[in-house]
Amino acid sequence: MAELIAHACYGIDIGGTKIELVACDTTLQVSWRRRVATPQGDYAGFLQAVAALVAEADTALGSPAAAIGIALPGVRDRRSGRQLSANVPALTGQTVAADLQARLQRPLHFGNDLQCFALSEAHGGAAEGYPSMFGAILGTAAGGGFCLHGRLLSGFNGLAGEWGHWSVPGHLLRRHGLPLIACACGLQGCVERYVSGSGLAMIERHLGGSAADASAVIANAEAGDARARQALDIHRDLLGHSLAALVLALDPHVIVLGGGLSQYAPLYQQLPAAVAAHLFNGVQVPPIVPPRFGDAGGARGAALLACHPSLS
């Protein structure tokens, strides 16, 4: 890992349900952590929650000048500076970066939350030592980030890695009898509506089940429920196709899964064949591995942005 600057830095991960702040030392070891609930529909409350977390960390650690990396959900319009976030509706249409800068009055470094997960796993995580990696999040939604030689590639619009908004091809929807579903992004048939944890639950319900979430589908399948097993089979085929598309587009040396579904151990045995089924002969499936830092990766990756801005 490249040498980090000498003083501690903070990383803040903004999620749909929680805001987490971690303080890291110069070796990127977490020395302090705090989580609070995300005020999803209250923008003033959101700004206050972030400011209060930073003030608490400053008091606890005596680091009033600590640089901060902030992992924001969604995308920012580079012309207007306004955020679009399906997971935290209060942020949509707001100049979040500028408003936080005005509140916190210190160096801030902003990144996408999914890209920060990838950056964390590329530095000391499951992708350490690989020339390139893709971090694929399978949680409430689906998305990710791409790192090359340890550096995050964000792209012209900051969208690199937004694999969750590629489209599932029509022939796969027909094969499995699935509907074309509208996405909150404004497109239709987005990968995340089918391969995320919520997508797995949707597939099971479409088959006539009633699972509330992915964990219920998995529990039902392990108990022998045929409908839940069919949902997992369909989900695996769609996920295999979407990861095969990643291999063809980016050819990463390793794929690190994140989000709730990354905890489902059978995926790591089953996915290589499911990916290979959508690739032509001679193309090898890269290693598909679980994350080292779990749901702490977003905050840790944000801290990396603050400690070493040249990585983005």
Side-chain angles (χ1 to χ4, degrees):
M1 184 186 301
E3 182 180 356
L4 303 178
I5 59 177
H7 63 270
C9 51
Y10 300 164
I12 300 177
D13 183 27
I14 311 298
T17 59
K18 54 86 178 172
I19 301 172
E20 179 177 29
L21 185 150
V22 300
C24 295
D25 63 20
T26 55
T27 64
L28 214 68
Q29 297 301 306
V30 174
S31 57
W32 192 88
R33 170 182 280 115
R34 189 77 75 239
R35 289 182 175 185
V36 298
T38 303
Q40 288 196 350
D42 178 4
Y43 185 59
F46 162 78
L47 294 176
Q48 179 56 36
V50 173
L53 266 179
V54 171
E56 185 180 359
D58 286 348
T59 299
L61 301 171
S63 302
I68 304 175
I70 300 179
L72 288 171
V75 297
R76 180 171 50 176
D77 187 316
R78 294 200 170 189
R79 292 166 298 183
S80 68
R82 298 189 182 278
Q83 196 76 17
L84 171 63
S85 175
N87 291 344
V88 187
L91 305 189
T92 295
Q94 303 289 347
T95 53
V96 180
D99 294 343
L100 286 175
Q101 185 67 69
R103 282 273 189 134
L104 299 176
Q105 293 292 309
R106 68 183 73 193
L108 300 183
H109 305 271
F110 292 93
N112 172 272
D113 55 340
L114 307 179
Q115 293 173 348
C116 284
F117 162 80
L119 184 63
S120 178
E121 291 296 332
H123 288 267
E128 176 74 33
Y130 287 91
S132 67
M133 66 82 69
F134 192 89
I137 307 275
L138 301 170
T140 304
F146 182 59
C147 293
L148 182 63
H149 299 299
R151 182 177 177 182
L152 183 66
L153 300 184
S154 56
F156 176 66
N157 288 290
L159 287 173
E162 273 291 358
W163 141 87
H165 295 287
W166 294 1
S167 296
V168 176
H171 76 272
L172 282 184
L173 296 181
R174 288 194 299 272
R175 174 189 298 176
H176 298 299
L178 295 174
L180 181 66
I181 301 174
C183 182
C185 74
L187 301 176
Q188 290 187 315
C190 288
V191 162
E192 76 168 26
R193 297 306 308 270
Y194 303 88
V195 307
S196 62
S198 55
L200 172 59
M202 178 280 295
I203 293 170
E204 193 265 358
R205 291 193 298 270
H206 181 72
L207 295 174
S210 58
D213 53 30
S215 61
V217 177
I218 291 169
N220 291 342
E222 291 176 343
D225 182 85
R227 184 181 289 116
R229 287 180 175 176
Q230 183 185 2
L232 282 172
D233 289 343
I234 293 172
H235 176 269
R236 185 168 59 252
D237 186 38
L238 298 181
L239 180 57
H241 179 275
S242 64
L243 294 181
L246 275 175
V247 172
L248 293 174
L250 299 173
D251 201 15
H253 289 81
V254 64
I255 296 172
V256 183
L257 300 185
L261 283 179
S262 71
Q263 301 173 36
Y264 182 48
L267 269 182
Y268 300 99
Q269 288 76 50
Q270 299 166 354
L271 269 179
V275 175
H278 296 282
L279 293 170
F280 50 83
N281 290 338
V283 179
Q284 296 185 29
V285 178
I288 301 172
V289 300
R292 183 166 296 171
F293 299 109
D295 67 355
R300 184 178 179 275
L304 255 169
L305 288 180
C307 289
H308 203 70
S310 64
L311 293 177
S312 64

